[in-house]
Structure formats: structure tokens, C-alpha cells
Amino acid sequence: MADQSSMHVYLNWAKERIDEMDAALASLEARVGEVQADSKAKANQLIANLQQQRDVFQGTVKEQRDQGEAAWSRTKTQLESQWNVFEGQVRAYIDTVGKQFEQQQTTFQDVAAAQLKAWQDAADTVQGAATKFAAERRAQVDAALKQMKADAAEAEARFQKLQQAGNESWTALSAALDESRKAFDRANQAVMDAFKQGATPKS
């Protein structure tokens, strides 16, 4: 049970990253027509690179989907490296051809929405898995779930504040996304720990 619950956590983590990749790509693709003519070839090449990185990431996740926790723990390091490459390429796109303020805001909003949906999906998954624990062993899982929901609400409030300000640089926007992503990862880890403790028989 604990190993299966741990798998939910790894899959939540991977799904959150894939959802962000998809949102970033969709946002950039939707606005590529607004890129100046002399930058269009560069924009299309950067988008093709991003698609390739997303496909490699997805392929790795699919290969590992049914592996155990030890395999996932090793693979997560590889996936984090792939994620960093993707993020770097999004930054390169913004720096070279996506400098328009409106594009940065739209991309931020789309990726932020994907993050918030990932938070909700993860909370739903955890809640479903938590029902399989006996009531006396579920307290820690419920506490971790409550904290996950609180962290999600805090991330949403922070995103809304940035959107209302409306004049933040891409650096500030991506820092907010990164902060929320790290909070998501901490919440996921807390859930995994709670599942493991909840599955340990009391002496």
C-alpha cells in the first residue's frame, strides 16, 4: 500500500511537469504568429526543441510508469535534468523572441493555471488513496493533504497578485512559478512520508 501510494506521488510530480510543458508549448505556439518576421524561424526552431524535450520527458515517464519506488527515485534525477533543459529553453525563447510583455503574461497565466490544476489533481489522488487507510492511521495523511490544499491556495493567491500587478518581468514571473513548483514538491514529499508512516503497523 505504501509503495503504491508513493507511486502516486512520483506520478503526481511527473504529471505536474508534463502539464506545465504542455501549457508553455500551447501558449508559445498560439502566439508565434505575433513574432516579428525576422525572428520567426528562430521561434519555430525553439518551439520544435521544446516539443522534443517534452516528448523525451513523456517517454521516460511512460517507460517508468509501472516501476517500483527505487526505480522512480533514480529516474526522477534524470527527469529533473530533462525538466531543467526544458525550462532553460523556455527562458531562451522569452529572451530572444518572446520579449513582448503580453506574451510573457499570457505564458505565465497558462503555466500558472496548469500548476494549479496539478495541485488539485494531486490532492484528489491523495484523497482517494487516503480512504484505503484505517481511520486511526489516516490522520497524518489527512494532515498532509490539508497542508497541500493550503499551499495550493497560497500559490493561487500569489499568482493572482502577480497578474493584477501586471508589470512583472519574466524573471519575477518564472521565480513565482518555481517557488510554487518547489512547494508542490515539498507537499508531495510530505504526502509520501505520511503514507509510509500510515502504512506502518503500530506496535
Side-chain angles (χ1 to χ4, degrees):
M1 168 86 78
D3 191 56
Q4 187 178 12
S5 300
S6 296
M7 295 306 300
H8 287 309
V9 173
Y10 285 113
L11 292 173
N12 287 343
W13 178 88
K15 182 181 181 307
E16 190 276 336
R17 297 313 193 266
I18 291 169
D19 288 350
E20 272 198 62
M21 289 174 162
D22 288 343
L25 270 167
S27 184
L28 297 177
E29 287 169 339
R31 298 185 74 107
V32 77
E34 299 170 16
V35 173
Q36 294 178 357
D38 59 345
S39 298
K40 202 157 278 198
K42 177 79 170 165
N44 287 329
Q45 182 58 54
L46 285 166
I47 287 173
N49 292 345
L50 287 168
Q51 288 170 332
Q52 182 180 18
Q53 287 299 320
R54 190 263 328 266
D55 292 346
V56 167
F57 190 97
Q58 263 183 328
T60 305
V61 170
K62 283 181 182 174
E63 285 173 17
Q64 293 299 314
R65 186 166 187 86
D66 297 323
Q67 301 301 314
E69 184 178 350
W72 260 105
S73 185
R74 288 188 303 273
T75 301
K76 189 171 178 236
T77 302
Q78 176 187 349
L79 289 170
E80 283 171 340
S81 175
Q82 292 173 2
W83 167 257
N84 290 335
V85 170
F86 182 89
E87 256 197 321
Q89 290 182 350
V90 169
R91 199 172 308 111
Y93 184 98
I94 295 294
D95 290 345
T96 57
V97 296
K99 292 182 180 180
Q100 297 93 340
F101 175 73
E102 294 80 13
Q103 174 147 21
Q104 292 179 18
Q105 285 290 316
T106 301
T107 301
F108 169 75
Q109 290 169 6
D110 292 344
V111 174
Q115 272 196 14
L116 294 173
K117 184 175 181 327
W119 279 95
Q120 183 59 51
D121 291 347
D124 291 347
T125 299
V126 170
Q127 197 158 9
T131 60
K132 297 175 181 157
F133 282 91
E136 69 273 7
R137 294 199 180 140
R138 206 167 65 210
Q140 288 175 306
V141 175
D142 287 344
L145 177 60
K146 184 177 179 181
Q147 185 61 50
M148 178 180 267
K149 288 180 177 180
D151 290 345
E154 189 177 314
E156 184 172 14
R158 195 167 39 252
F159 290 158
Q160 286 177 353
K161 188 175 179 182
L162 281 169
Q163 288 170 5
Q164 288 167 356
N167 59 357
E168 297 293 340
S169 68
W170 179 253
T171 302
L173 297 174
S174 62
L177 291 169
D178 190 51
E179 188 178 324
S180 171
R181 200 176 300 114
K182 286 176 181 172
F184 179 85
D185 293 347
R186 286 191 301 271
N188 245 344
Q189 184 62 51
V191 165
M192 184 188 301
D193 294 345
F195 274 127
K196 286 179 178 177
Q197 289 181 335
T200 304
K202 294 185 177 180
S203 51

